[in-house]
Amino acid sequence: QVQLVESGGGLVQAGGSLTLACAASRSIFKSDTMGWYRQAPGKQRELVASIIDSSTTNYADSVKGRFAISRDAAKNTVSLQMNSLKPEDTAVYYCNVKEFTAWGIRESWGQGTQVTVSS
C-alpha cells in the first residue's frame, strides 16, 4: 500500500472555501485513480470526487460546480478545492488511491482531515 498524508482541513463559515491536499509516499501510476471521500457522523463514507487525469474526473452530484479536484502526477499529489461550502459539507475527508494491479485493485486511505462548515 501507499501512505497518504492529508492537510488543509479546518473550520470555515458557510460560503467560504478550503483546499485539501494529499501527498502519496511513492509514485502512483498515471492510470491509477486518486480521489476524495467523506464521512459525516452517522452516515456512510461517500465519494466526493476522483481523478485519473484532467480530462477524466468524477464528482458527486452534491458538489458539482462547487468543488474541483486536481492532480499533480509528477509530485504524486491530489488536491480538492472546495468553494461555496455548506454546513452539509461538514465531514471527515479521506484521500484515496486505487491502484490497478495484476492481482486486483489495491486501495489505500489517508487518516482523514476534518472539515467543519458553520452556518
Side-chain angles (χ1 to χ4, degrees), residues 47-118:
L47 174 69
V48 177
S50 63
I51 183 170
I52 297 177
D53 53 45
S54 59
S55 61
T56 310
T57 57
N58 183 39
Y59 292 92
D61 288 343
S62 59
V63 307
K64 283 181 180 177
R66 300 188 298 121
F67 290 12
I69 190 169
S70 61
R71 176 176 179 174
D72 187 329
K75 296 181 179 179
N76 300 302
T77 59
V78 61
S79 298
L80 185 68
Q81 174 67 44
M82 305 185 293
N83 299 321
S84 302
L85 283 161
K86 304 175 181 180
E88 50 263 43
D89 294 318
T90 295
V92 178
Y93 284 69
Y94 296 91
C95 182
N96 173 267
V97 167
K98 290 182 175 62
E99 298 174 282
F100 300 89
T101 75
W103 299 274
I105 298 174
R106 179 169 59 204
E107 198 163 24
S108 301
W109 295 92
Q111 79 284 359
T113 185
Q114 177 71 45
V115 171
T116 302
V117 184
S118 63

